[in-house]
Amino acid sequence: MSLSLIVNPFLRPPRMNGVSESSHLFCASYPAKHIRPGKLKVQASGNTLGTYFRVTTYGESRGGGVGCIIDGCPPRIPLSEADVQVELDRRRPGQSRLVSPRKETDTCQIYSGIAEGLTTGSPIMVHVPNTDQTAYDYSELSRASRPSHADATYDFKYGVRAIQGGGRSSARETIARVAAGAVAKKILKKFSGTEVLAYVSQVHNVRLPEHLVDHESLNLDQVEESIVRCPNAEYAKKMIAAIDAVMARGDSVGGVVSCIARNVPRGLGSPVFNKLEAELARAAIILASTLMSGSEHNDEFYIDKRGRIRTRTNHSGGIQGGISNGEVLNMRIAFKPTPTIEMKQHTVTRDKHETEILSHIRRDPCVAPRAVPVVESMIALVLVDQIMAQYAQCELFPVNTALQEPMGSLSLNSAYLPC
């Protein structure tokens, strides 16, 4: 299905000597006399994540579909569409009354990079078609900008946007991240036994105390037991009630997703400008401990019964000095309230007239429950990229066994697993 594109007239250059402005669109900004061969370089930006394990996403919410291209995936890894589908099923809409009622199966298709069930080392293309595209009247969206959506900013930046749904800024784009994350999770599990798990820890003002979740024993079944993806039954009920209440009045609320990663190889991250927390922050906003004193926050070291250097506490969240220390990575990612609400709001039209808008588009009253697999995927993507960087720089030659552990040892030798 093709997308309707609209252009802001006031962003076009003026007519020149009676010639249409479109023919001078390029020349108006870049006069020919200033253009020299080899001097003009345009780089596409914003759609690719990673350096060694590179993921590029594509597609819009109401177009033919969405997907990703994964480049740099190691060869000979067992991979099937079913491996990706299980993660997409966790993200898809229509799962419960708490999420968007859009009915999409989100069935994935792998078009390249796989031979006889194994990755080949060539780019992997995963595509998910859009099937449930309602005949919604988008004329109002073409006329005015929805508050806190990307409508206006896309106009400001590009001077053109897809008016059907949210285009690239729609949450549907996260399908591509989850698909790529499924591949990253397989690599992490196979190479180092690393496991990434996320859960909802806060909805509006209902916050799950961290001590009620055991990060050493937390498993996927505990997370998926509740439709709000909170692993504590008491607080899950409170969160569901909070979402139901706000949904009844046509509003929305924000939330926080906590994410952990167990058995993360030590040494990931490269100070000073590519610290691990900085790379993770590119994928998600991480909330740090700001109310603790130094004496409360510091993680003292000790030698465990297997002879490994460990920390007695984990206030640093598994990262010190921008480098992973082998403890559980612990992150909290905040999500703002969903901007699509069923309430009348003030806005302006594209031709600069004040007006009101009332949206009836299908929506998530709280995005946090469906964001859980997305957060897991983004963290997994960063970790795989960092493992490949660490291997390339620090494990081309034998490691210093007095101070270092080979990264793959965690999955090969149970003696390395945390107590």
Side-chain angles (χ1 to χ4, degrees):
M1 176 181 177
S2 62
L3 292 175
S4 299
L5 300 178
I6 48 180
V7 180
N8 266 345
F10 59 83
L11 292 177
R12 297 173 180 160
R15 286 181 172 269
M16 299 179 178
N17 300 324
V19 181
S20 73
E21 67 270 23
S22 59
S23 63
H24 286 282
L25 181 59
F26 183 82
C27 297
S29 300
Y30 300 97
K33 64 180 181 179
H34 296 304
I35 301 174
R36 299 183 178 91
K39 295 297 183 179
L40 180 62
K41 184 178 181 181
V42 179
Q43 289 184 326
S45 60
N47 299 303
T48 300
L49 176 72
T51 302
Y52 304 93
F53 189 83
R54 293 175 61 82
V55 176
T56 300
T57 72
Y58 66 85
E60 291 83 20
S61 61
R62 304 284 168 171
V66 295
C68 65
I69 305 292
I70 305 168
D71 198 8
C73 180
R76 303 181 303 281
I77 297 174
L79 183 67
S80 67
E81 291 173 344
D83 295 327
V84 178
Q85 193 63 53
V86 69
E87 295 293 336
L88 292 178
D89 288 344
R90 298 176 62 209
R91 193 226 69 96
R92 66 177 177 82
Q95 299 179 47
S96 72
R97 70 176 191 276
L98 300 184
V99 303
S100 168
R102 180 171 177 171
K103 298 296 182 182
E104 292 277 5
T105 60
D106 287 351
T107 303
C108 70
Q109 301 166 335
I110 298 179
Y111 286 108
S112 64
I114 307 293
E116 297 181 351
L118 299 176
T119 58
T120 63
S122 61
I124 299 171
M125 176 182 178
V126 185
H127 181 74
V128 176
N130 294 332
T131 59
D132 181 18
Q133 303 182 70
T134 61
Y136 179 83
D137 182 6
Y138 289 94
S139 59
E140 189 173 29
L141 296 190
S142 68
R143 187 179 63 89
S145 299
R146 295 167 294 173
S148 289
H149 277 270
D151 300 344
T153 50
Y154 266 53
D155 278 346
F156 300 156
K157 182 174 179 65
Y158 302 109
V160 59
R161 62 178 168 89
I163 65 167
Q164 297 169 317
R168 283 290 285 166
S169 64
S170 167
R172 190 150 183 77
E173 182 272 340
T174 60
I175 285 176
R177 309 186 197 191
V178 173
V183 180
K185 285 182 179 181
K186 289 212 69 171
I187 296 172
L188 291 173
K189 192 70 173 179
K190 187 174 181 63
F191 179 74
S192 56
T194 302
E195 183 180 20
V196 182
L197 273 175
Y199 60 92
V200 176
S201 57
Q202 184 172 344
V203 168
H204 196 36
N205 57 3
V206 179
R207 181 175 180 178
L208 172 67
E210 188 170 340
H211 72 272
L212 294 182
V213 181
D214 183 357
H215 288 166
E216 295 290 342
S217 62
L218 181 68
N219 58 54
L220 183 60
D221 289 340
Q222 292 173 326
V223 174
E224 295 294 321
E225 188 173 355
S226 163
I227 60 175
V228 78
R229 290 198 167 106
C230 173
N232 180 279
E234 177 185 356
Y235 279 85
K237 291 180 180 179
K238 294 180 180 179
M239 292 178 184
I240 292 171
I243 296 175
D244 282 338
V246 75
M247 185 165 50
R249 61 177 186 265
D251 211 340
S252 66
V253 291
V256 174
V257 172
S258 292
C259 185
I260 63 169
R262 295 191 290 246
N263 296 333
V264 176
R266 299 180 178 187
L268 304 188
S270 300
V272 291
F273 297 118
N274 298 105
K275 295 181 179 181
L276 182 56
E277 64 264 47
E279 295 302 310
L280 291 169
R282 291 183 61 198
I285 300 174
I286 301 171
L287 307 179
S289 301
T290 58
L291 301 179
M292 302 175 70
S293 64
S295 59
E296 294 171 322
H297 187 269
N298 288 351
D299 297 315
E300 296 184 345
F301 291 105
Y302 76 103
I303 305 295
D304 71 11
K305 62 183 180 182
R306 298 187 178 113
R308 299 182 77 221
I309 298 176
R310 301 284 305 280
T311 60
R312 296 191 184 279
T313 54
N314 191 25
H315 300 309
S316 299
I319 303 174
Q320 294 171 329
I323 301 173
S324 59
N325 63 8
E327 302 297 327
V328 175
L329 292 191
N330 187 3
M331 297 151 279
R332 297 180 65 232
I333 297 91
F335 291 88
K336 68 176 185 178
T338 313
T340 301
I341 59 176
E342 295 183 27
M343 302 174 72
K344 189 171 291 187
Q345 300 176 88
H346 295 285
T347 185
V348 296
T349 62
R350 305 183 100 203
D351 55 357
K352 299 184 178 180
H353 290 91
E354 294 187 357
T355 185
E356 292 182 333
I357 190 171
L358 176 62
S359 176
H360 296 288
I361 296 176
R362 294 169 295 187
R363 66 192 183 91
D364 290 271
C366 179
V367 76
R370 286 179 64 208
V372 166
V374 179
V375 169
E376 293 176 0
S377 297
M378 296 303 291
I379 301 306
L381 291 173
V382 171
L383 292 179
V384 168
D385 195 51
Q386 288 296 307
I387 284 176
M388 296 176 78
Q390 171 71 4
Y391 196 91
Q393 181 185 16
C394 299
E395 295 204 16
L396 285 180
F397 300 98
V399 301
N400 181 351
T401 55
L403 298 173
Q404 297 174 286
E405 298 171 351
M407 288 189 297
S409 62
L410 287 176
S411 63
L412 299 175
N413 188 347
S414 60
Y416 284 109
L417 295 177
C419 299

mmCIF file with all atom_site columns, all heavy atoms in Angstrom, residues 1-5 60 62-64 133 162 164:
data_model
loop_
_atom_site.group_PDB
_atom_site.id
_atom_site.type_symbol
_atom_site.label_atom_id
_atom_site.label_alt_id
_atom_site.label_comp_id
_atom_site.label_asym_id
_atom_site.label_entity_id
_atom_site.label_seq_id
_atom_site.pdbx_PDB_ins_code
_atom_site.Cartn_x
_atom_site.Cartn_y
_atom_site.Cartn_z
_atom_site.occupancy
_atom_site.B_iso_or_equiv
_atom_site.pdbx_formal_charge
_atom_site.auth_seq_id
_atom_site.auth_comp_id
_atom_site.auth_asym_id
_atom_site.auth_atom_id
_atom_site.pdbx_PDB_model_num
ATOM 1  N N   . MET A 1 1   ? 0.853  -1.198 0.000  1.00 0.00 ? 1   MET A N   1
ATOM 2  C CA  . MET A 1 1   ? 0.000  0.000  0.000  1.00 0.00 ? 1   MET A CA  1
ATOM 3  C C   . MET A 1 1   ? 0.884  1.241  0.000  1.00 0.00 ? 1   MET A C   1
ATOM 4  O O   . MET A 1 1   ? 1.798  1.374  0.802  1.00 0.00 ? 1   MET A O   1
ATOM 5  C CB  . MET A 1 1   ? -0.891 0.008  1.236  1.00 0.00 ? 1   MET A CB  1
ATOM 6  C CG  . MET A 1 1   ? -1.753 1.264  1.365  1.00 0.00 ? 1   MET A CG  1
ATOM 7  S SD  . MET A 1 1   ? -2.758 1.214  2.856  1.00 0.00 ? 1   MET A SD  1
ATOM 8  C CE  . MET A 1 1   ? -3.540 2.804  2.755  1.00 0.00 ? 1   MET A CE  1
ATOM 9  N N   . SER A 1 2   ? 0.685  2.152  -0.902 1.00 0.00 ? 2   SER A N   1
ATOM 10 C CA  . SER A 1 2   ? 1.500  3.358  -0.979 1.00 0.00 ? 2   SER A CA  1
ATOM 11 C C   . SER A 1 2   ? 1.067  4.349  0.093  1.00 0.00 ? 2   SER A C   1
ATOM 12 O O   . SER A 1 2   ? -0.073 4.358  0.537  1.00 0.00 ? 2   SER A O   1
ATOM 13 C CB  . SER A 1 2   ? 1.383  3.997  -2.358 1.00 0.00 ? 2   SER A CB  1
ATOM 14 O OG  . SER A 1 2   ? 0.037  4.378  -2.596 1.00 0.00 ? 2   SER A OG  1
ATOM 15 N N   . LEU A 1 3   ? 2.001  5.207  0.478  1.00 0.00 ? 3   LEU A N   1
ATOM 16 C CA  . LEU A 1 3   ? 1.726  6.219  1.496  1.00 0.00 ? 3   LEU A CA  1
ATOM 17 C C   . LEU A 1 3   ? 1.435  7.557  0.841  1.00 0.00 ? 3   LEU A C   1
ATOM 18 O O   . LEU A 1 3   ? 1.976  7.893  -0.208 1.00 0.00 ? 3   LEU A O   1
ATOM 19 C CB  . LEU A 1 3   ? 2.937  6.374  2.424  1.00 0.00 ? 3   LEU A CB  1
ATOM 20 C CG  . LEU A 1 3   ? 3.241  5.190  3.339  1.00 0.00 ? 3   LEU A CG  1
ATOM 21 C CD1 . LEU A 1 3   ? 4.527  5.467  4.091  1.00 0.00 ? 3   LEU A CD1 1
ATOM 22 C CD2 . LEU A 1 3   ? 2.104  4.967  4.305  1.00 0.00 ? 3   LEU A CD2 1
ATOM 23 N N   . SER A 1 4   ? 0.569  8.324  1.480  1.00 0.00 ? 4   SER A N   1
ATOM 24 C CA  . SER A 1 4   ? 0.292  9.674  1.008  1.00 0.00 ? 4   SER A CA  1
ATOM 25 C C   . SER A 1 4   ? 1.333  10.618 1.587  1.00 0.00 ? 4   SER A C   1
ATOM 26 O O   . SER A 1 4   ? 1.556  10.640 2.790  1.00 0.00 ? 4   SER A O   1
ATOM 27 C CB  . SER A 1 4   ? -1.105 10.115 1.444  1.00 0.00 ? 4   SER A CB  1
ATOM 28 O OG  . SER A 1 4   ? -2.091 9.263  0.907  1.00 0.00 ? 4   SER A OG  1
ATOM 29 N N   . LEU A 1 5   ? 1.989  11.387 0.740  1.00 0.00 ? 5   LEU A N   1
ATOM 30 C CA  . LEU A 1 5   ? 3.009  12.319 1.180  1.00 0.00 ? 5   LEU A CA  1
ATOM 31 C C   . LEU A 1 5   ? 2.506  13.738 0.977  1.00 0.00 ? 5   LEU A C   1
ATOM 32 O O   . LEU A 1 5   ? 1.856  14.049 -0.021 1.00 0.00 ? 5   LEU A O   1
ATOM 33 C CB  . LEU A 1 5   ? 4.309  12.130 0.390  1.00 0.00 ? 5   LEU A CB  1
ATOM 34 C CG  . LEU A 1 5   ? 4.955  10.756 0.499  1.00 0.00 ? 5   LEU A CG  1
ATOM 35 C CD1 . LEU A 1 5   ? 6.201  10.709 -0.367 1.00 0.00 ? 5   LEU A CD1 1
ATOM 36 C CD2 . LEU A 1 5   ? 5.312  10.429 1.938  1.00 0.00 ? 5   LEU A CD2 1
ATOM 37 N N   . GLU A 1 60  ? 7.143  2.137  7.407  1.00 0.00 ? 60  GLU A N   1
ATOM 38 C CA  . GLU A 1 60  ? 6.256  3.044  8.126  1.00 0.00 ? 60  GLU A CA  1
ATOM 39 C C   . GLU A 1 60  ? 5.062  2.285  8.681  1.00 0.00 ? 60  GLU A C   1
ATOM 40 O O   . GLU A 1 60  ? 4.786  1.152  8.292  1.00 0.00 ? 60  GLU A O   1
ATOM 41 C CB  . GLU A 1 60  ? 5.765  4.168  7.199  1.00 0.00 ? 60  GLU A CB  1
ATOM 42 C CG  . GLU A 1 60  ? 6.839  5.148  6.779  1.00 0.00 ? 60  GLU A CG  1
ATOM 43 C CD  . GLU A 1 60  ? 7.640  4.641  5.591  1.00 0.00 ? 60  GLU A CD  1
ATOM 44 O OE1 . GLU A 1 60  ? 7.148  3.757  4.872  1.00 0.00 ? 60  GLU A OE1 1
ATOM 45 O OE2 . GLU A 1 60  ? 8.776  5.120  5.412  1.00 0.00 ? 60  GLU A OE2 1
ATOM 46 N N   . ARG A 1 62  ? 1.859  2.587  8.247  1.00 0.00 ? 62  ARG A N   1
ATOM 47 C CA  . ARG A 1 62  ? 0.739  2.259  7.369  1.00 0.00 ? 62  ARG A CA  1
ATOM 48 C C   . ARG A 1 62  ? 1.181  1.941  5.945  1.00 0.00 ? 62  ARG A C   1
ATOM 49 O O   . ARG A 1 62  ? 0.379  1.911  5.033  1.00 0.00 ? 62  ARG A O   1
ATOM 50 C CB  . ARG A 1 62  ? -0.249 3.433  7.332  1.00 0.00 ? 62  ARG A CB  1
ATOM 51 C CG  . ARG A 1 62  ? -0.758 3.841  8.691  1.00 0.00 ? 62  ARG A CG  1
ATOM 52 C CD  . ARG A 1 62  ? -1.784 2.885  9.233  1.00 0.00 ? 62  ARG A CD  1
ATOM 53 N NE  . ARG A 1 62  ? -2.049 3.150  10.632 1.00 0.00 ? 62  ARG A NE  1
ATOM 54 C CZ  . ARG A 1 62  ? -3.022 2.587  11.331 1.00 0.00 ? 62  ARG A CZ  1
ATOM 55 N NH1 . ARG A 1 62  ? -3.831 1.727  10.754 1.00 0.00 ? 62  ARG A NH1 1
ATOM 56 N NH2 . ARG A 1 62  ? -3.185 2.871  12.604 1.00 0.00 ? 62  ARG A NH2 1
ATOM 57 N N   . GLY A 1 63  ? 2.453  1.683  5.745  1.00 0.00 ? 63  GLY A N   1
ATOM 58 C CA  . GLY A 1 63  ? 2.943  1.313  4.428  1.00 0.00 ? 63  GLY A CA  1
ATOM 59 C C   . GLY A 1 63  ? 2.832  -0.187 4.202  1.00 0.00 ? 63  GLY A C   1
ATOM 60 O O   . GLY A 1 63  ? 2.064  -0.888 4.862  1.00 0.00 ? 63  GLY A O   1
ATOM 61 N N   . GLY A 1 64  ? 3.640  -0.682 3.285  1.00 0.00 ? 64  GLY A N   1
ATOM 62 C CA  . GLY A 1 64  ? 3.588  -2.106 2.973  1.00 0.00 ? 64  GLY A CA  1
ATOM 63 C C   . GLY A 1 64  ? 4.093  -2.999 4.084  1.00 0.00 ? 64  GLY A C   1
ATOM 64 O O   . GLY A 1 64  ? 3.727  -4.175 4.165  1.00 0.00 ? 64  GLY A O   1
ATOM 65 N N   . GLN A 1 133 ? -4.806 -2.395 8.189  1.00 0.00 ? 133 GLN A N   1
ATOM 66 C CA  . GLN A 1 133 ? -4.748 -0.960 7.957  1.00 0.00 ? 133 GLN A CA  1
ATOM 67 C C   . GLN A 1 133 ? -6.168 -0.440 7.747  1.00 0.00 ? 133 GLN A C   1
ATOM 68 O O   . GLN A 1 133 ? -6.760 -0.615 6.688  1.00 0.00 ? 133 GLN A O   1
ATOM 69 C CB  . GLN A 1 133 ? -3.873 -0.652 6.747  1.00 0.00 ? 133 GLN A CB  1
ATOM 70 C CG  . GLN A 1 133 ? -2.463 -1.218 6.914  1.00 0.00 ? 133 GLN A CG  1
ATOM 71 C CD  . GLN A 1 133 ? -1.585 -0.867 5.743  1.00 0.00 ? 133 GLN A CD  1
ATOM 72 O OE1 . GLN A 1 133 ? -1.218 0.291  5.565  1.00 0.00 ? 133 GLN A OE1 1
ATOM 73 N NE2 . GLN A 1 133 ? -1.230 -1.840 4.947  1.00 0.00 ? 133 GLN A NE2 1
ATOM 74 N N   . ALA A 1 162 ? 4.680  11.303 5.923  1.00 0.00 ? 162 ALA A N   1
ATOM 75 C CA  . ALA A 1 162 ? 3.575  10.389 5.648  1.00 0.00 ? 162 ALA A CA  1
ATOM 76 C C   . ALA A 1 162 ? 2.457  10.697 6.632  1.00 0.00 ? 162 ALA A C   1
ATOM 77 O O   . ALA A 1 162 ? 2.664  10.680 7.846  1.00 0.00 ? 162 ALA A O   1
ATOM 78 C CB  . ALA A 1 162 ? 4.034  8.942  5.811  1.00 0.00 ? 162 ALA A CB  1
ATOM 79 N N   . GLN A 1 164 ? -0.417 9.018  7.015  1.00 0.00 ? 164 GLN A N   1
ATOM 80 C CA  . GLN A 1 164 ? -1.184 7.857  7.474  1.00 0.00 ? 164 GLN A CA  1
ATOM 81 C C   . GLN A 1 164 ? -0.512 7.254  8.702  1.00 0.00 ? 164 GLN A C   1
ATOM 82 O O   . GLN A 1 164 ? 0.524  6.598  8.592  1.00 0.00 ? 164 GLN A O   1
ATOM 83 C CB  . GLN A 1 164 ? -1.305 6.834  6.351  1.00 0.00 ? 164 GLN A CB  1
ATOM 84 C CG  . GLN A 1 164 ? -2.085 7.373  5.154  1.00 0.00 ? 164 GLN A CG  1
ATOM 85 C CD  . GLN A 1 164 ? -1.965 6.473  3.952  1.00 0.00 ? 164 GLN A CD  1
ATOM 86 O OE1 . GLN A 1 164 ? -0.893 5.987  3.636  1.00 0.00 ? 164 GLN A OE1 1
ATOM 87 N NE2 . GLN A 1 164 ? -3.076 6.249  3.280  1.00 0.00 ? 164 GLN A NE2 1
#
